[in-house]
Amino acid sequence: QDAMLYLRREMGVPVERLAWVVPTEPYITARDPPAGLNQITSMELLAAALDEVVVNDETPSASKDTCRDEILARGFQRLERDGRVYRLSDEAAPRKFMDATLNRDEVKALRACAPAAIRGRGRVEAIDGDALRFADGTLLELPWTTAETASTTYVHCTAGAFAFSATAGEPRRPVFAQDRVTVQEVFPFPGFCFNAAVVAWLETRRELSDADRNERCELPVAAAEALTPTELPPSGLIGPLGPDHPLLIGLRNLRRWYATPGMGAWLHSLRLFSLAMNGYTLDEGRALAERSWDGLAAIGLTLGDHDSDDEQHA
């Protein structure tokens, strides 16, 4: 979105000279009131989704598959009604979340770029003459002459918020090993810098062994085989919520951090921590995590192989 806004507003590139590849319709964080300076946090998204289930009276007697498959989509619908997220098109329901922010004027400008949008075709592998070649092998013939194709700027929109970067497709190594620390994402949006701060804090706790530190840094489950960038699934997809979803990995880690002496107070003194950014106290943050944990269990969602470990730390 930033690239499209810069090309249109700052450089004055005509819409007809842009090709904006949008594989999946996104939700974008609102930067206008009532959202204000408060960014959507992963834990607040879970809470909103669970609240939406309760509002619709979907108790444990309801379909567990429905809750698992639709809970995140309903959470975003709740946030959209509350004015905390925007969509860029009304043609289809958003299927991903991009952890970026836009105001109303920027959304309006991007919606005006609809004629340049190439939607729903997946990742681009190459510009192949007068066609776009996608990762699935399909071609899209471009409606321009060869000269026009050469003078067209292509913008490929694939970033997302749930992917823990692309670590799900990379070789897995522990965060802490002998004489080596590998900084990785152990908590979802927002917070690349926050993740590094957490790893650094754990490194300074001399009473913790590397095994203790790694227990507090559960990582996304690695793919069975290494994937190329074009083989990776789109990041940030709003799909089924299961035990290996980054949101639940982050929730498990957060509960472990709250159970670690001194770590909860440190988190809420840190301006990089999303809940602290949004004004949550330590008690409020801990209560939010526990409410989400209990709510997920109440709708019959399996919380993962680490349930017993988490209960021990809680």
Side-chain angles (χ1 to χ4, degrees), residues 185-200:
E185 291 179 82
V186 293
F187 191 77
F189 64 94
F192 294 107
C193 296
F194 169 71
N195 280 272
V198 166
V199 171

Side-chain angles (χ1 to χ4, degrees), residues 7 14 36-37 47 58 86 99 105-106 127 138 151 162 171 218 228 244-245 270 298 314:
L7 289 167
L37 296 177
E58 294 192 10
Y86 294 131
D99 189 22
D105 288 342
E106 291 167 333
I127 302 172
T138 61
S151 64
F162 292 156
E218 182 185 349
T228 66
D244 295 332
H245 194 286
L270 183 68

Side-chain angles (χ1 to χ4, degrees), residues 89-105:
S89 170
D90 295 323
E91 295 180 8
R95 293 181 49 241
K96 69 181 290 184
F97 173 54
M98 300 184 71
D99 189 22
T101 65
L102 294 173
N103 62 36
R104 293 185 184 91
D105 288 342

Side-chain angles (χ1 to χ4, degrees), residues 16 18 73 91 124 129 136 153 155 161 163 174 185 192 210 232 248 250 261 266 284 289 292:
E16 58 269 21
L18 293 169
E91 295 180 8
V124 174
D136 62 3
T153 299
V155 180
E185 291 179 82
F192 294 107
D210 281 348
L232 288 170
L248 289 195
W266 172 76
E284 290 169 341
S292 293

